[in-house]
Amino acid sequence: MKKTGFIAALVLAASLLVGCSTVAPLAATSNELGSKVGTASAGYLFGLIPIPFSADYGIEKAARDGGITKISTVDVKTFNYFGFWVGHQTIVTGE
């Protein structure tokens, strides 16, 4: 009986560390694929409350972060940890 409780607690603890993540293409231009990469991120507590409160993960911010003036591709990464922490990241490549 003690062993079953220990295994159940271990499975519960491990499941709290599991999450899922997806990366999807959002846009592409005819510009050559550049060597620069810029990112902008935002996270949401319970999927609703933005942390930090200025949740800007737009393309313009990501391009500024990477010093990019000619955008080649834009990808969006979304990750979710049991609905407790939901995050979005915009990834821009270019020159």
Side-chain angles (χ1 to χ4, degrees), residues 23-44:
V23 178
L26 183 65
T29 66
S30 60
N31 296 332
E32 289 187 33
L33 188 60
S35 60
K36 296 179 182 178
V37 177
T39 61
S41 302
Y44 294 87

Side-chain angles (χ1 to χ4, degrees), residues 20-25 40-42 57 74-79 81 87-91:
C20 71
S21 173
T22 60
V23 178
S41 302
Y57 58 98
V74 179
D75 296 323
V76 176
K77 179 178 182 180
T78 303
F79 48 93
Y81 297 104
H88 302 285
Q89 182 179 41
T90 302
I91 306 162

Side-chain angles (χ1 to χ4, degrees), residues 11-73:
V11 168
L12 177 65
S15 69
L16 292 175
L17 299 174
V18 174
C20 71
S21 173
T22 60
V23 178
L26 183 65
T29 66
S30 60
N31 296 332
E32 289 187 33
L33 188 60
S35 60
K36 296 179 182 178
V37 177
T39 61
S41 302
Y44 294 87
L45 192 60
F46 302 114
L48 299 171
I49 305 165
I51 306 292
F53 294 108
S54 60
D56 179 11
Y57 58 98
I59 295 171
E60 184 179 347
K61 184 175 181 184
R64 270 187 281 137
D65 176 66
I68 298 170
T69 55
K70 288 184 172 182
I71 295 174
S72 299
T73 64

